[in-house]
Amino acid sequence: ISSSGNDLLALINDILDLSKIEAGKVDLVAEPVLVANMVDSLVKTFQPVARKKGLDFSATLDPGTPPRIITDGQRMGQILKNLLSNALKFTDQGQVSLRVGAGDAGTLSFAVSDSGIGIAQHQQDIIFEAFRQADGSTHRKYGGTGLGLSISRALAHLLGGGIAVQSTAGQGSVFTLTLPQT
């Protein structure tokens, strides 16, 4: 009962988040965010999960990565937590990594890579639609509501950036969040 209640609460929160975004009622608070501190926080959060699953987990700041970004740190963290959580959920063996580096034209890129189940080419667009997952068996095996990626993509757009995916079924995925540095 407790687990079902928590799942229902998470679903309600996701629906409310998506509703606020679609209604334009999300307030962004742009502030300096120290990139290394954000990455350290993510490592501390997800390292125990990776260890429990027997996965290698790493985070790398590329040389030349700006020390800070001006953005809504809470929303950026929400996106990265969703991407890392998904990577760990859909990876049974191998590795998950986060690589941060300066991108083109004053952007910062956060690439979340995994050696998980991957996503077929024809399903890569639908995974960003609300309540959609790659296929029905994905939901049955891994759970989830199909809202995390749609919320993450919408938040990324609000922050002036975007999320891209590169994946091959059976070989893993790379989700890249790109945000303007200011």
Side-chain angles (χ1 to χ4, degrees):
I1 291 172
S2 176
S3 176
S4 294
N6 288 335
D7 290 346
L8 181 58
L9 182 60
L11 175 61
I12 291 168
N13 283 333
D14 285 347
I15 292 170
L16 289 172
D17 276 351
L18 191 57
S19 297
K20 285 184 215 173
I21 292 167
E22 289 177 351
K25 300 292 183 189
V26 175
D27 294 325
L28 299 177
V29 178
E31 59 190 1
V33 176
L34 296 175
V35 176
N37 288 358
M38 172 66 75
V39 170
D40 287 344
S41 174
L42 292 166
V43 168
K44 288 176 184 170
T45 300
F46 290 103
Q47 186 68 50
V49 178
R51 193 175 303 121
K52 185 176 181 182
K53 287 189 75 173
L55 301 172
D56 292 328
F57 180 69
S58 64
T60 307
L61 291 173
D62 287 345
T65 300
R68 67 179 47 89
I69 182 173
I70 307 295
T71 192
D72 186 314
Q74 178 183 351
R75 301 302 181 181
M76 182 178 82
Q78 183 178 352
I79 297 166
L80 292 170
K81 286 175 185 174
N82 179 262
L83 296 178
L84 286 165
S85 176
N86 283 350
L88 289 164
K89 181 193 310 186
F90 293 108
T91 304
D92 291 328
Q93 60 184 350
Q95 61 195 21
V96 172
S97 66
L98 170 63
R99 182 176 205 104
V100 183
D104 297 334
T107 62
L108 194 60
S109 295
F110 301 83
V112 176
S113 306
D114 66 64
S115 59
I117 63 172
I119 305 158
Q121 182 70 36
H122 69 279
Q123 295 174 323
Q124 291 179 18
D125 287 332
I126 68 167
I127 60 172
F128 289 101
E129 295 175 14
F131 300 106
R132 297 287 301 266
Q133 294 179 331
D135 61 44
S137 64
T138 302
H139 172 70
R140 284 189 292 280
K141 183 173 181 182
Y142 296 99
T145 61
L147 288 172
L149 286 175
S150 56
I151 291 169
S152 293
R153 180 172 262 182
L155 287 173
H157 285 229
L158 284 174
L159 295 173
I163 298 177
V165 61
Q166 294 178 334
S167 186
T168 303
Q171 297 181 19
S173 303
V174 179
F175 283 83
T176 305
L177 167 65
T178 303
L179 295 175
Q181 291 181 26
T182 57

